[in-house]
Amino acid sequence: MSPRSYNSAKRKQGAEETKDRIVSSARALLAGRNPQLSLDAVAKHADVSRQTVYNAFGGKRGLLEALCDHLAGRGGLHRLGEAFTSKDPLGELVATFAAFWKHDLVATRRLRAFAALDDDLRAVIADRDQRRRLAISEVLRRAGMTADDRLTTLLWTLTSFETYDTVAGERGHDEAVAVLRDAAVALAGIGTGE
């Protein structure tokens, strides 16, 4: 028998705290004055070794996935399910994504900009964008609307970060939500022949 007792619950909690610290460090570096997202910089900021980052996330892509999950959790994407049962499903969909984009605007803007130069990040962002497309199709289906590819693509573009950032930059968040919500409803009306 080992002289030290092994407490897997404490060890697991410690590992989760380390992972949280690493992800928080990645987010802080991304939103900081000199944005960066290298594994070395994240490890240094989190006060862990590069190997610890690899062990916790399996590599850079795993860290990027965890960072996107972190931003999604903080930005309220868990409320997306409310669009499925809302009396105004498209409005709720637009409002949920707009709130998400607004929540950590600087970090999101930089994350998407870095994706232009980083294949791993581009793949992670593309996967997240595809999930948004699937959510739109499901909202349309549950609302009894035909989710043809053209309508889904237009709504996908309307709920994108780039569209939100452009409209909110010109009009502010609240007016951007109203404009995008009205556009979504109009598009859906055209798509259903109403």
Side-chain angles (χ1 to χ4, degrees):
M1 178 174 236
S2 170
R4 287 192 325 174
S5 73
Y6 180 77
N7 186 334
S8 72
K10 277 187 176 180
R11 186 177 178 137
K12 185 175 182 179
Q13 180 183 357
E16 287 302 313
E17 288 171 359
T18 298
K19 286 176 83 169
D20 289 345
R21 190 169 73 246
I22 293 168
V23 171
S24 293
S25 290
R27 189 247 155 237
L29 285 170
L30 188 61
R33 290 185 76 160
N34 297 308
Q36 51 187 312
L37 207 50
S38 73
L39 290 183
D40 288 331
V42 171
K44 183 177 180 180
H45 191 276
D47 196 28
V48 297
S49 70
R50 181 183 171 107
Q51 187 62 49
T52 299
V53 177
Y54 270 101
N55 291 345
F57 298 102
K60 183 178 179 184
R61 180 135 184 198
L63 174 61
L64 295 171
E65 290 282 358
L67 175 59
C68 287
D69 288 345
H70 175 77
L71 294 172
R74 288 173 40 122
L77 272 189
H78 59 278
R79 286 185 241 128
L80 189 56
E82 294 171 18
F84 296 139
T85 58
S86 173
K87 291 181 182 180
D88 179 17
L90 293 177
E92 192 66 39
L93 180 83
V94 166
T96 300
F97 277 110
F100 167 58
W101 301 133
K102 178 188 177 207
H103 184 270
D104 214 334
L105 187 66
V106 172
T108 301
R109 190 179 285 142
R110 289 177 178 167
L111 192 67
R112 290 186 164 258
F114 283 0
L117 305 171
D118 185 297
D119 291 339
D120 287 328
L121 184 52
R122 185 174 23 260
V124 169
I125 297 293
D127 181 58
R128 301 298 166 130
D129 285 345
Q130 182 60 28
R131 291 180 198 180
R132 183 166 41 86
R133 181 184 286 276
L134 293 172
I136 291 165
S137 293
E138 185 62 15
V139 166
L140 291 172
R141 187 188 70 74
R142 289 187 187 199
M145 297 179 231
T146 303
D148 72 13
D149 190 54
R150 290 180 307 159
L151 176 58
T152 301
T153 298
L154 288 170
L155 291 171
W156 180 71
T157 302
L158 195 67
T159 58
S160 71
F161 172 75
E162 293 76 12
T163 301
Y164 170 78
D165 197 29
T166 299
V167 177
E170 292 177 359
R171 300 172 176 259
H173 174 77
D174 292 338
E175 193 174 340
V177 171
V179 166
L180 296 173
R181 180 179 272 174
D182 290 348
V185 171
L187 286 171
I190 292 168
T192 59
E194 292 177 9

